[in-house]
Amino acid sequence: MGSASGSFASILNDIVTRVEDLLAPPLIRRGYDATIAGVYSQALVGLVASAGLAWLDTRKPDKRRVAAELVNLAWNGLASIEHKPTLITDRGAVPGKRRHTNKLRPTRTASKGATAAARKRAAKSSHASSEDDSGPVDRADGQD
């Protein structure tokens, strides 16, 4: 990170700044206020740092599973969280599985029809009257 003597807080602040720099351009392209990148970067870095510190105490579950679960939560949110996420790097070259350009995105295991049906069930069960029954869009082309 540039300095071996940096405190944990200063290292996290540096990471937050780097993540903010990565998030701002796609947010701006999608019409969001660029200042929200700072909020999201704080949230994402805090999520990973806090979970990582807690994991150090127990070393359970396996760190690859923890990584997959964190990416699942960050990518899908609580409304669309997957039941058994895996990291793309854990898939290897499995026939029929598509690769995404975003290497951190958890894999989708359900077919498009099954995913749409699951979204409809989730929307109905949450009584979210402000959302349509189609739920969030799953981009098959790997774009964020």
Side-chain angles (χ1 to χ4, degrees), residues 80 115-120 123 131-138:
S80 300
T115 303
R119 287 185 185 135
K120 286 182 182 179
E131 297 178 9
D132 67 17
D133 285 344
S134 65
V137 175
D138 180 24

Side-chain angles (χ1 to χ4, degrees), residues 3 7-8 11 13 15-16 27 46 53 57 59 70 86-88 92 94 101 133:
S3 172
S7 70
F8 184 68
I11 292 170
N13 284 335
I15 294 169
V16 165
L27 288 171
L53 286 173
D57 289 338
R59 308 264 175 184
L70 291 175
T86 58
L87 298 175
I88 289 175
V94 178
T101 56
D133 285 344

Side-chain angles (χ1 to χ4, degrees), residues 18 35 45 52 55-57 62 72 86 91 94 96 98 101 104 111 116 119-120 130 134 141:
R18 292 172 189 225
T35 58
V45 171
W55 179 84
L56 285 172
D57 289 338
D62 175 79
N72 185 27
T86 58
R91 281 193 300 176
V94 178
R98 59 179 191 255
T101 56
L104 295 179
S111 68
R119 287 185 185 135
K120 286 182 182 179
S130 64
S134 65
D141 60 4

Side-chain angles (χ1 to χ4, degrees), residues 49-120:
S50 180
L53 286 173
W55 179 84
L56 285 172
D57 289 338
T58 62
R59 308 264 175 184
K60 292 181 182 175
D62 175 79
K63 67 181 172 182
R64 298 197 64 76
R65 166 118 188 255
V66 171
E69 295 290 351
L70 291 175
V71 171
N72 185 27
L73 176 60
W75 188 271
N76 296 315
L78 289 174
S80 300
I81 199 164
E82 295 179 0
H83 290 281
K84 293 184 180 182
T86 58
L87 298 175
I88 289 175
T89 55
D90 290 343
R91 281 193 300 176
V94 178
K97 301 266 184 168
R98 59 179 191 255
R99 293 211 176 262
H100 298 283
T101 56
N102 182 339
K103 298 297 183 194
L104 295 179
R105 184 175 181 185
T107 62
R108 291 279 182 192
T109 56
S111 68
K112 285 185 181 178
T115 303
R119 287 185 185 135
K120 286 182 182 179

